[in-house]
Each structure stands twice: as C-alpha cells, then as structure tokens.
Amino acid sequence: MIARIRSGWRDSLALLFALGDRRTPAGAKLMAALAVAYALLPLDLLPDLTPLLGLADDVLIVPTLLALAARTLPEPVLTEARGRSLRVQRRLPWLIPAGIAAALLLMTLGGWLLWRAVSG
C-alpha cells in the first residue's frame, strides 16, 4: 500500500513537471487540468457532505485522470520528469522542516509586529 502511494506521488509530481515541457501533448495537459479542477472546484458528482461516498468520487476520478494523462506522455518527457521528481523527493525531508520553521518564524514575527502596533 505504501509503495503504491509513493509511486502515485512520484508520478503525480512527474506529471506536474511534464506539463511545463513543450513536448507534452495538449490532451495530457487537458486531462491534468481537469483532474486539478475536479479536485479543487466545489462541484462533485457526489457531494462531499455524503459520508464516505462524497470523498470516494474524488479518490477514484482524480487519480484516474492523472494516470490517463501520464500514459499519453512521450517516453523521453516522462523519463526526464520522473528524474526531476526523484531529485525533489530526495530533498523533501529537508524542505518540509525548513518550510515549517520559516512559517513559524513568519507567524511569530507577524504576531510581534501586531502586538507592537496594538500596544502602542
């Protein structure tokens, strides 16, 4: 199960990199855009308020559209994109804590500035 999630993450990230390549077919770009739009827009086949079923359509439709988009990519584009994806994933353990630390620092600084502005 974890291996499937990792490969799905790798391929999703690779697809994101491949979308910026001019050799990527328009059909792949359209399917990826549809997947992102379906995931982000509030319109669903089954409303998210429906317990379990509301999320089931997202879990099925979005990965299916992304897989179809990845299948239409030319092999050189997919290979290069997967390489970029792997390089990012190797740095990811360092990027996440750094991002959290930066966010905490900015929130602390913002809170301090707000406190100074309110207290005079």
Coordinates of all heavy atoms in Angstrom, one line a residue, residues 11-65:
D11 N 4.7 9.8 -9.5 CA 4.1 10.1 -10.9 C 3.3 11.4 -10.9 O 3.3 12.0 -12.0 CB 3.2 8.9 -11.3 CG 4.1 7.6 -11.6 OD1 5.3 7.8 -11.8 OD2 3.5 6.5 -11.7
S12 N 2.6 11.7 -9.9 CA 1.9 13.0 -9.9 C 2.8 14.2 -10.0 O 2.6 15.1 -10.7 CB 1.0 13.1 -8.6 OG 0.1 12.1 -8.6
L13 N 3.9 14.1 -9.2 CA 4.9 15.1 -9.3 C 5.6 15.2 -10.6 O 5.9 16.2 -11.2 CB 6.0 14.9 -8.2 CG 6.9 16.0 -7.8 CD1 6.2 17.3 -7.5 CD2 7.8 15.7 -6.7
A14 N 5.9 14.0 -11.2 CA 6.5 13.9 -12.5 C 5.5 14.5 -13.6 O 6.0 15.2 -14.5 CB 6.8 12.5 -12.9
L15 N 4.2 14.3 -13.4 CA 3.3 14.8 -14.4 C 3.2 16.4 -14.2 O 3.2 17.1 -15.3 CB 1.9 14.3 -14.1 CG 0.8 14.7 -15.0 CD1 1.1 14.3 -16.4 CD2 -0.6 14.2 -14.6
L16 N 3.4 16.9 -13.0 CA 3.4 18.3 -12.9 C 4.6 18.9 -13.6 O 4.5 19.9 -14.3 CB 3.5 18.6 -11.4 CG 3.6 20.1 -11.0 CD1 2.3 20.8 -11.4 CD2 3.9 20.3 -9.5
F17 N 5.8 18.2 -13.5 CA 7.0 18.7 -14.2 C 6.8 18.6 -15.7 O 7.2 19.4 -16.5 CB 8.2 18.0 -13.7 CG 8.7 18.3 -12.4 CD1 9.0 17.3 -11.5 CD2 8.7 19.6 -11.9 CE1 9.4 17.6 -10.2 CE2 9.2 19.9 -10.7 CZ 9.5 18.9 -9.8
A18 N 6.2 17.5 -16.1 CA 6.0 17.3 -17.6 C 5.0 18.3 -18.2 O 5.2 18.6 -19.4 CB 5.5 15.8 -17.8
L19 N 4.1 18.8 -17.4 CA 3.2 19.8 -18.0 C 3.9 21.0 -18.5 O 3.4 21.7 -19.4 CB 2.1 20.1 -17.0 CG 1.1 19.0 -16.7 CD1 0.1 19.4 -15.6 CD2 0.4 18.5 -17.9
G20 N 5.0 21.4 -17.9 CA 5.7 22.5 -18.3 C 6.6 22.3 -19.5 O 7.1 23.2 -20.1
D21 N 6.7 21.1 -20.0 CA 7.5 20.7 -21.2 C 6.7 21.0 -22.4 O 5.5 20.6 -22.5 CB 7.9 19.3 -21.1 CG 9.0 18.9 -22.0 OD1 9.0 19.4 -23.2 OD2 9.9 18.2 -21.6
R22 N 7.3 21.6 -23.4 CA 6.6 21.9 -24.7 C 6.3 20.7 -25.5 O 5.5 20.7 -26.4 CB 7.4 22.9 -25.5 CG 8.7 22.5 -25.9 CD 9.5 23.6 -26.7 NE 10.8 23.2 -27.0 CZ 11.2 22.3 -27.8 NH1 10.4 21.6 -28.5 NH2 12.5 22.0 -28.0
R23 N 7.0 19.6 -25.2 CA 6.7 18.3 -25.9 C 5.5 17.5 -25.4 O 5.1 16.5 -25.9 CB 8.0 17.4 -25.8 CG 9.2 18.0 -26.5 CD 10.4 17.2 -26.2 NE 10.7 17.2 -24.8 CZ 11.7 16.5 -24.2 NH1 12.4 15.6 -24.9 NH2 11.9 16.6 -22.9
T24 N 4.9 18.0 -24.3 CA 3.8 17.4 -23.7 C 2.5 17.6 -24.6 O 2.2 18.8 -24.9 CB 3.5 17.9 -22.3 OG1 4.7 17.6 -21.5 CG2 2.3 17.2 -21.7
P25 N 1.8 16.6 -25.0 CA 0.6 16.8 -25.8 C -0.5 17.6 -25.1 O -0.6 17.5 -23.9 CB 0.1 15.3 -26.1 CG 1.2 14.4 -25.6 CD 2.1 15.2 -24.7
A26 N -1.3 18.2 -25.9 CA -2.4 19.0 -25.3 C -3.4 18.2 -24.6 O -4.0 18.6 -23.6 CB -3.0 19.8 -26.5
G27 N -3.6 17.0 -25.0 CA -4.5 16.1 -24.4 C -4.1 15.8 -22.9 O -4.9 15.7 -22.0
A28 N -2.8 15.5 -22.7 CA -2.3 15.3 -21.4 C -2.5 16.5 -20.5 O -2.9 16.4 -19.3 CB -0.9 14.9 -21.4
K29 N -2.2 17.7 -21.0 CA -2.4 18.9 -20.3 C -3.9 19.1 -19.9 O -4.2 19.5 -18.8 CB -1.9 20.1 -21.1 CG -0.4 20.1 -21.2 CD 0.1 21.3 -22.0 CE 1.6 21.3 -22.1 NZ 2.2 22.4 -22.8
L30 N -4.8 18.8 -20.9 CA -6.2 19.0 -20.6 C -6.7 18.0 -19.5 O -7.4 18.4 -18.6 CB -7.0 18.7 -21.9 CG -8.5 18.8 -21.8 CD1 -8.9 20.2 -21.4 CD2 -9.2 18.4 -23.1
M31 N -6.2 16.7 -19.6 CA -6.6 15.8 -18.6 C -6.1 16.1 -17.2 O -6.8 16.0 -16.2 CB -6.2 14.4 -18.9 CG -7.1 13.7 -20.0 SD -6.7 12.0 -20.3 CE -5.5 12.2 -21.6
A32 N -4.9 16.6 -17.1 CA -4.3 17.0 -15.8 C -5.1 18.3 -15.3 O -5.3 18.3 -14.1 CB -2.8 17.3 -16.0
A33 N -5.4 19.2 -16.2 CA -6.2 20.4 -15.7 C -7.5 20.0 -15.3 O -8.0 20.5 -14.3 CB -6.3 21.4 -16.9
L34 N -8.2 19.0 -15.9 CA -9.5 18.5 -15.5 C -9.4 17.9 -14.1 O -10.2 18.1 -13.2 CB -10.1 17.5 -16.5 CG -10.6 18.1 -17.8 CD1 -11.0 17.0 -18.7 CD2 -11.8 19.0 -17.5
A35 N -8.3 17.1 -13.9 CA -8.1 16.5 -12.6 C -8.0 17.5 -11.5 O -8.6 17.4 -10.4 CB -6.9 15.5 -12.6
V36 N -7.1 18.5 -11.7 CA -6.9 19.5 -10.7 C -8.2 20.3 -10.5 O -8.6 20.6 -9.4 CB -5.8 20.5 -11.1 CG1 -5.7 21.7 -10.3 CG2 -4.5 19.7 -11.1
A37 N -8.9 20.7 -11.6 CA -10.2 21.4 -11.4 C -11.2 20.6 -10.7 O -11.9 21.1 -9.8 CB -10.7 21.8 -12.8
Y38 N -11.3 19.3 -11.0 CA -12.3 18.5 -10.3 C -11.9 18.4 -8.8 O -12.8 18.4 -7.9 CB -12.3 17.1 -10.9 CG -13.5 16.3 -10.3 CD1 -14.7 16.4 -10.8 CD2 -13.3 15.4 -9.3 CE1 -15.8 15.7 -10.3 CE2 -14.3 14.7 -8.7 CZ -15.6 14.8 -9.3 OH -16.6 14.1 -8.7
A39 N -10.6 18.3 -8.5 CA -10.2 18.2 -7.1 C -10.5 19.5 -6.3 O -10.8 19.5 -5.1 CB -8.8 17.8 -7.0
L40 N -10.3 20.7 -7.0 CA -10.4 22.0 -6.3 C -11.8 22.6 -6.3 O -12.2 23.3 -5.4 CB -9.4 22.9 -6.9 CG -7.9 22.6 -6.7 CD1 -7.1 23.6 -7.4 CD2 -7.6 22.4 -5.2
L41 N -12.6 22.4 -7.4 CA -13.9 23.0 -7.5 C -14.9 22.4 -6.6 O -14.8 21.2 -6.3 CB -14.4 22.9 -9.0 CG -13.6 23.8 -10.0 CD1 -14.1 23.5 -11.4 CD2 -13.6 25.2 -9.6
P42 N -15.8 23.1 -6.1 CA -16.8 22.6 -5.2 C -17.9 21.7 -5.9 O -18.6 21.0 -5.2 CB -17.5 23.8 -4.6 CG -17.3 24.9 -5.6 CD -16.0 24.6 -6.3
L43 N -17.9 21.6 -7.2 CA -18.9 20.8 -7.9 C -18.3 19.4 -7.9 O -17.2 19.1 -8.4 CB -19.1 21.3 -9.3 CG -19.6 22.8 -9.4 CD1 -19.6 23.2 -10.8 CD2 -20.9 22.9 -8.7
D44 N -19.1 18.4 -7.4 CA -18.8 17.0 -7.4 C -19.9 16.2 -8.0 O -21.1 16.6 -7.9 CB -18.5 16.5 -6.0 CG -17.1 16.9 -5.5 OD1 -16.2 17.2 -6.4 OD2 -16.9 16.9 -4.3
L45 N -19.6 15.0 -8.4 CA -20.7 14.0 -8.8 C -21.5 13.6 -7.6 O -22.7 13.6 -7.6 CB -20.1 12.8 -9.5 CG -19.5 13.0 -10.8 CD1 -18.9 11.7 -11.3 CD2 -20.5 13.5 -11.8
L46 N -20.7 13.4 -6.5 CA -21.4 13.1 -5.2 C -20.9 14.1 -4.2 O -19.7 14.4 -4.1 CB -20.9 11.7 -4.7 CG -21.3 10.5 -5.5 CD1 -20.7 9.2 -5.0 CD2 -22.8 10.3 -5.5
P47 N -21.8 14.8 -3.5 CA -21.4 15.9 -2.6 C -20.5 15.4 -1.5 O -20.7 14.2 -1.0 CB -22.8 16.4 -2.0 CG -23.8 15.9 -2.9 CD -23.3 14.7 -3.6
D48 N -19.5 16.2 -1.1 CA -18.6 15.8 -0.1 C -19.3 15.6 1.3 O -18.7 15.0 2.2 CB -17.5 16.8 0.0 CG -16.5 16.7 -1.1 OD1 -16.5 15.6 -1.8 OD2 -15.8 17.6 -1.4
L49 N -20.5 16.2 1.4 CA -21.2 16.0 2.7 C -21.7 14.6 2.9 O -22.0 14.2 4.0 CB -22.3 17.0 2.8 CG -21.9 18.5 2.7 CD1 -23.1 19.4 2.6 CD2 -21.1 18.9 3.9
T50 N -21.8 13.8 1.8 CA -22.3 12.5 2.0 C -21.1 11.7 2.6 O -20.0 11.6 2.0 CB -22.6 11.9 0.6 OG1 -23.5 12.8 -0.1 CG2 -23.2 10.5 0.7
P51 N -21.4 11.0 3.7 CA -20.3 10.3 4.4 C -19.7 9.2 3.5 O -20.4 8.4 2.9 CB -20.9 9.7 5.6 CG -22.2 10.4 5.8 CD -22.6 11.0 4.5
L52 N -18.4 9.2 3.4 CA -17.5 8.3 2.6 C -17.8 8.4 1.1 O -16.8 8.4 0.4 CB -17.7 6.9 3.1 CG -17.3 6.6 4.6 CD1 -17.6 5.2 5.0 CD2 -15.8 6.9 4.7
L53 N -19.0 8.4 0.7 CA -19.2 8.4 -0.8 C -18.8 9.7 -1.4 O -18.4 9.8 -2.5 CB -20.7 8.2 -1.1 CG -21.2 6.7 -0.8 CD1 -22.7 6.6 -1.1 CD2 -20.4 5.7 -1.6
G54 N -18.9 10.8 -0.6 CA -18.5 12.1 -1.1 C -17.1 12.2 -1.5 O -16.7 12.9 -2.4
L55 N -16.2 11.5 -0.7 CA -14.8 11.5 -1.0 C -14.4 10.4 -2.0 O -13.3 10.5 -2.6 CB -14.0 11.4 0.3 CG -14.2 12.5 1.3 CD1 -13.4 12.2 2.6 CD2 -13.7 13.8 0.7
A56 N -15.2 9.4 -2.1 CA -14.9 8.3 -2.9 C -14.8 8.7 -4.4 O -13.9 8.2 -5.1 CB -15.9 7.2 -2.8
D57 N -15.6 9.6 -4.8 CA -15.5 10.0 -6.2 C -14.2 10.8 -6.5 O -13.6 10.6 -7.5 CB -16.8 10.8 -6.7 CG -16.9 12.2 -5.9 OD1 -16.4 12.3 -4.8 OD2 -17.5 13.1 -6.5
D58 N -13.8 11.6 -5.5 CA -12.5 12.3 -5.7 C -11.3 11.3 -5.7 O -10.4 11.4 -6.5 CB -12.3 13.2 -4.5 CG -13.3 14.4 -4.5 OD1 -13.8 14.7 -5.6 OD2 -13.5 15.0 -3.4
V59 N -11.4 10.3 -4.9 CA -10.3 9.3 -4.8 C -10.3 8.4 -6.0 O -9.2 8.0 -6.4 CB -10.5 8.4 -3.5 CG1 -9.6 7.2 -3.5 CG2 -10.4 9.2 -2.3
L60 N -11.4 8.3 -6.7 CA -11.4 7.5 -8.0 C -11.1 8.3 -9.2 O -10.3 7.9 -10.1 CB -12.7 6.7 -8.1 CG -13.0 5.7 -7.1 CD1 -14.4 5.1 -7.2 CD2 -12.0 4.6 -7.2
I61 N -11.8 9.4 -9.3 CA -11.7 10.2 -10.6 C -10.4 10.9 -10.8 O -9.8 10.9 -11.9 CB -12.9 11.2 -10.6 CG1 -14.2 10.4 -10.8 CG2 -12.7 12.2 -11.8 CD1 -15.5 11.2 -10.7
V62 N -9.9 11.6 -9.7 CA -8.7 12.4 -9.9 C -7.5 11.5 -10.2 O -6.8 11.8 -11.2 CB -8.4 13.2 -8.6 CG1 -7.1 13.9 -8.7 CG2 -9.5 14.3 -8.5
P63 N -7.2 10.4 -9.5 CA -6.1 9.6 -9.9 C -6.2 8.9 -11.3 O -5.3 8.8 -12.0 CB -6.0 8.5 -8.8 CG -6.7 9.1 -7.6 CD -7.7 10.0 -8.2
T64 N -7.5 8.6 -11.6 CA -7.7 8.0 -13.0 C -7.4 9.0 -14.1 O -6.7 8.7 -15.0 CB -9.2 7.6 -13.1 OG1 -9.4 6.6 -12.1 CG2 -9.4 7.0 -14.5
L65 N -7.8 10.3 -13.9 CA -7.5 11.3 -14.9 C -6.0 11.5 -15.0 O -5.4 11.7 -16.0 CB -8.2 12.6 -14.6 CG -9.7 12.6 -14.9 CD1 -10.3 13.9 -14.4 CD2 -9.9 12.5 -16.4

